[in-house]
mmCIF file of all heavy atoms in Angstrom:
data_model
loop_
_atom_site.group_PDB
_atom_site.id
_atom_site.type_symbol
_atom_site.label_atom_id
_atom_site.label_comp_id
_atom_site.label_asym_id
_atom_site.label_seq_id
_atom_site.Cartn_x
_atom_site.Cartn_y
_atom_site.Cartn_z
ATOM 1 N N LYS U 206 19.329 16.598 -7.732
ATOM 2 C CA LYS U 206 20.718 16.414 -8.136
ATOM 3 C C LYS U 206 20.906 15.013 -8.713
ATOM 4 O O LYS U 206 20.506 14.026 -8.086
ATOM 5 C CB LYS U 206 21.624 16.601 -6.922
ATOM 6 C CG LYS U 206 23.101 16.516 -7.210
ATOM 7 C CD LYS U 206 23.899 17.003 -6.016
ATOM 8 C CE LYS U 206 25.381 17.028 -6.291
ATOM 9 N NZ LYS U 206 26.011 15.715 -6.144
ATOM 10 N N GLY U 207 21.501 14.932 -9.864
ATOM 11 C CA GLY U 207 21.823 13.630 -10.446
ATOM 12 C C GLY U 207 22.889 12.947 -9.598
ATOM 13 O O GLY U 207 23.725 13.614 -8.990
ATOM 14 N N GLY U 208 22.834 11.638 -9.528
ATOM 15 C CA GLY U 208 23.873 10.890 -8.820
ATOM 16 C C GLY U 208 23.823 10.988 -7.308
ATOM 17 O O GLY U 208 24.786 10.649 -6.614
ATOM 18 N N ALA U 209 22.690 11.427 -6.755
ATOM 19 C CA ALA U 209 22.590 11.585 -5.293
ATOM 20 C C ALA U 209 22.550 10.233 -4.579
ATOM 21 O O ALA U 209 22.939 10.130 -3.412
ATOM 22 C CB ALA U 209 21.340 12.392 -4.954
ATOM 23 N N GLY U 210 22.063 9.217 -5.267
ATOM 24 C CA GLY U 210 21.962 7.891 -4.639
ATOM 25 C C GLY U 210 20.530 7.353 -4.641
ATOM 26 O O GLY U 210 20.218 6.419 -3.899
ATOM 27 N N LYS U 211 19.665 7.935 -5.471
ATOM 28 C CA LYS U 211 18.244 7.528 -5.490
ATOM 29 C C LYS U 211 18.082 6.063 -5.892
ATOM 30 O O LYS U 211 17.458 5.283 -5.179
ATOM 31 C CB LYS U 211 17.445 8.392 -6.488
ATOM 32 C CG LYS U 211 17.377 9.849 -6.115
ATOM 33 C CD LYS U 211 16.627 10.666 -7.162
ATOM 34 C CE LYS U 211 17.404 10.823 -8.454
ATOM 35 N NZ LYS U 211 18.661 11.593 -8.331
ATOM 36 N N THR U 212 18.624 5.714 -7.058
ATOM 37 C CA THR U 212 18.394 4.361 -7.577
ATOM 38 C C THR U 212 18.993 3.308 -6.648
ATOM 39 O O THR U 212 18.342 2.315 -6.319
ATOM 40 C CB THR U 212 18.989 4.237 -9.009
ATOM 41 O OG1 THR U 212 18.438 5.282 -9.802
ATOM 42 C CG2 THR U 212 18.661 2.908 -9.635
ATOM 43 N N THR U 213 20.222 3.546 -6.211
ATOM 44 C CA THR U 213 20.889 2.576 -5.327
ATOM 45 C C THR U 213 20.086 2.397 -4.039
ATOM 46 O O THR U 213 19.829 1.268 -3.600
ATOM 47 C CB THR U 213 22.316 3.064 -4.997
ATOM 48 O OG1 THR U 213 22.964 3.424 -6.214
ATOM 49 C CG2 THR U 213 23.123 2.004 -4.285
ATOM 50 N N ASP U 234 12.472 6.918 -14.204
ATOM 51 C CA ASP U 234 13.570 7.711 -14.764
ATOM 52 C C ASP U 234 13.825 7.206 -16.188
ATOM 53 O O ASP U 234 14.074 6.005 -16.375
ATOM 54 C CB ASP U 234 14.817 7.505 -13.892
ATOM 55 C CG ASP U 234 16.019 8.291 -14.409
ATOM 56 O OD1 ASP U 234 15.930 8.886 -15.510
ATOM 57 O OD2 ASP U 234 17.045 8.300 -13.707
ATOM 58 N N ARG U 238 17.881 2.994 -15.046
ATOM 59 C CA ARG U 238 18.944 2.187 -14.413
ATOM 60 C C ARG U 238 18.373 1.150 -13.441
ATOM 61 O O ARG U 238 18.966 0.099 -13.228
ATOM 62 C CB ARG U 238 19.952 3.105 -13.710
ATOM 63 C CG ARG U 238 20.759 3.924 -14.717
ATOM 64 C CD ARG U 238 22.023 4.472 -14.119
ATOM 65 N NE ARG U 238 22.966 3.426 -13.768
ATOM 66 C CZ ARG U 238 23.779 3.487 -12.732
ATOM 67 N NH1 ARG U 238 23.767 4.545 -11.942
ATOM 68 N NH2 ARG U 238 24.618 2.504 -12.470
ATOM 69 N N GLY U 283 16.762 12.662 -11.820
ATOM 70 C CA GLY U 283 17.451 13.672 -11.018
ATOM 71 C C GLY U 283 17.176 15.104 -11.423
ATOM 72 O O GLY U 283 18.093 15.936 -11.379
ATOM 73 N N ARG U 339 26.252 7.551 0.562
ATOM 74 C CA ARG U 339 27.617 7.680 0.048
ATOM 75 C C ARG U 339 28.497 8.385 1.080
ATOM 76 O O ARG U 339 29.430 9.087 0.736
ATOM 77 C CB ARG U 339 27.628 8.445 -1.288
ATOM 78 C CG ARG U 339 26.911 7.736 -2.420
ATOM 79 C CD ARG U 339 26.899 8.539 -3.695
ATOM 80 N NE ARG U 339 26.071 9.720 -3.595
ATOM 81 C CZ ARG U 339 26.517 10.960 -3.598
ATOM 82 N NH1 ARG U 339 27.793 11.216 -3.707
ATOM 83 N NH2 ARG U 339 25.680 11.966 -3.495
ATOM 84 N N LEU U 367 23.292 5.485 4.648
ATOM 85 C CA LEU U 367 23.800 4.398 3.801
ATOM 86 C C LEU U 367 25.223 4.788 3.402
ATOM 87 O O LEU U 367 25.427 5.540 2.447
ATOM 88 C CB LEU U 367 22.902 4.190 2.578
ATOM 89 C CG LEU U 367 21.498 3.648 2.876
ATOM 90 C CD1 LEU U 367 20.702 3.495 1.585
ATOM 91 C CD2 LEU U 367 21.547 2.306 3.612
ATOM 92 N N ASN U 368 26.175 4.311 4.189
ATOM 93 C CA ASN U 368 27.578 4.676 3.953
ATOM 94 C C ASN U 368 28.032 4.269 2.558
ATOM 95 O O ASN U 368 27.403 3.444 1.911
ATOM 96 C CB ASN U 368 28.479 3.981 4.984
ATOM 97 C CG ASN U 368 28.131 4.366 6.402
ATOM 98 O OD1 ASN U 368 27.946 3.509 7.264
ATOM 99 N ND2 ASN U 368 28.026 5.649 6.657
ATOM 100 N N ARG U 369 29.129 4.876 2.148
ATOM 101 C CA ARG U 369 29.707 4.494 0.850
ATOM 102 C C ARG U 369 30.299 3.094 0.979
ATOM 103 O O ARG U 369 31.266 2.889 1.709
ATOM 104 C CB ARG U 369 30.806 5.495 0.459
ATOM 105 C CG ARG U 369 31.449 5.198 -0.883
ATOM 106 C CD ARG U 369 32.542 6.189 -1.182
ATOM 107 N NE ARG U 369 32.027 7.531 -1.393
ATOM 108 C CZ ARG U 369 31.457 7.952 -2.509
ATOM 109 N NH1 ARG U 369 31.351 7.125 -3.538
ATOM 110 N NH2 ARG U 369 31.012 9.173 -2.618
ATOM 111 N N ARG U 370 29.697 2.131 0.358
ATOM 112 C CA ARG U 370 30.143 0.748 0.472
ATOM 113 C C ARG U 370 30.164 0.101 -0.918
ATOM 114 O O ARG U 370 29.219 0.272 -1.690
ATOM 115 C CB ARG U 370 29.175 -0.070 1.342
ATOM 116 C CG ARG U 370 29.167 0.344 2.789
ATOM 117 C CD ARG U 370 28.153 -0.464 3.584
ATOM 118 N NE ARG U 370 27.959 0.112 4.889
ATOM 119 C CZ ARG U 370 28.775 -0.082 5.921
ATOM 120 N NH1 ARG U 370 29.817 -0.879 5.791
ATOM 121 N NH2 ARG U 370 28.534 0.498 7.071
ATOM 122 N N PHE U 373 27.143 -1.897 -1.881
ATOM 123 C CA PHE U 373 25.970 -1.177 -2.392
ATOM 124 C C PHE U 373 26.129 -0.867 -3.885
ATOM 125 O O PHE U 373 25.215 -1.119 -4.670
ATOM 126 C CB PHE U 373 25.746 0.135 -1.612
ATOM 127 C CG PHE U 373 25.278 -0.066 -0.187
ATOM 128 C CD1 PHE U 373 25.614 0.856 0.801
ATOM 129 C CD2 PHE U 373 24.484 -1.144 0.161
ATOM 130 C CE1 PHE U 373 25.170 0.691 2.115
ATOM 131 C CE2 PHE U 373 24.036 -1.328 1.470
ATOM 132 C CZ PHE U 373 24.389 -0.404 2.452
ATOM 133 N N SER U 374 27.275 -0.306 -4.241
ATOM 134 C CA SER U 374 27.436 0.056 -5.661
ATOM 135 C C SER U 374 27.498 -1.208 -6.534
ATOM 136 O O SER U 374 27.101 -1.190 -7.703
ATOM 137 C CB SER U 374 28.658 0.947 -5.876
ATOM 138 O OG SER U 374 29.784 0.401 -5.270
ATOM 139 N N HIS U 377 24.486 -2.709 -8.803
ATOM 140 C CA HIS U 377 24.205 -2.296 -10.182
ATOM 141 C C HIS U 377 24.815 -3.254 -11.209
ATOM 142 O O HIS U 377 24.372 -3.309 -12.352
ATOM 143 C CB HIS U 377 24.750 -0.881 -10.446
ATOM 144 C CG HIS U 377 23.982 0.190 -9.733
ATOM 145 N ND1 HIS U 377 22.763 0.651 -10.170
ATOM 146 C CD2 HIS U 377 24.256 0.877 -8.604
ATOM 147 C CE1 HIS U 377 22.330 1.595 -9.353
ATOM 148 N NE2 HIS U 377 23.209 1.751 -8.389
HETATM 149 N N1 LIG C 502 25.670 4.014 -0.451
HETATM 150 C C1 LIG C 502 26.438 3.930 -1.546
HETATM 151 N N2 LIG C 502 27.649 3.330 -1.488
HETATM 152 C C2 LIG C 502 28.456 3.241 -2.578
HETATM 153 N N3 LIG C 502 28.134 3.753 -3.782
HETATM 154 C C3 LIG C 502 26.942 4.357 -3.909
HETATM 155 C C4 LIG C 502 26.024 4.496 -2.812
HETATM 156 N N4 LIG C 502 24.923 5.161 -3.257
HETATM 157 C C5 LIG C 502 25.146 5.423 -4.557
HETATM 158 N N5 LIG C 502 26.347 4.957 -4.962
HETATM 159 C C6 LIG C 502 26.958 5.075 -6.302
HETATM 160 O O1 LIG C 502 26.875 6.438 -6.719
HETATM 161 C C7 LIG C 502 26.488 6.531 -8.087
HETATM 162 C C8 LIG C 502 25.171 7.298 -8.195
HETATM 163 O O2 LIG C 502 24.183 6.584 -7.494
HETATM 164 P P1 LIG C 502 22.704 6.391 -8.054
HETATM 165 O O3 LIG C 502 22.698 5.937 -9.456
HETATM 166 O O4 LIG C 502 21.990 5.571 -7.045
HETATM 167 O O5 LIG C 502 22.202 7.906 -7.977
HETATM 168 P P2 LIG C 502 20.887 8.539 -8.596
HETATM 169 O O6 LIG C 502 20.468 9.607 -7.660
HETATM 170 O O7 LIG C 502 19.899 7.475 -8.906
HETATM 171 O O8 LIG C 502 21.430 9.170 -9.958
HETATM 172 P P3 LIG C 502 20.570 9.703 -11.209
HETATM 173 O O9 LIG C 502 20.007 11.029 -10.768
HETATM 174 O O10 LIG C 502 21.594 9.831 -12.284
HETATM 175 O O11 LIG C 502 19.506 8.702 -11.469
HETATM 176 C C9 LIG C 502 26.363 5.094 -8.596
HETATM 177 O O12 LIG C 502 27.545 4.768 -9.253
HETATM 178 C C10 LIG C 502 26.200 4.250 -7.337
HETATM 179 O O13 LIG C 502 26.752 2.973 -7.477
#
Side-chain angles (χ1 to χ4, degrees):
K206 183 168 184 279
K211 296 178 289 295
T212 306
T213 311
D234 180 353
R238 291 199 66 214
R339 295 178 291 112
L367 292 180
N368 300 129
R369 181 182 293 282
R370 293 178 192 279
F373 290 150
S374 50
H377 289 282

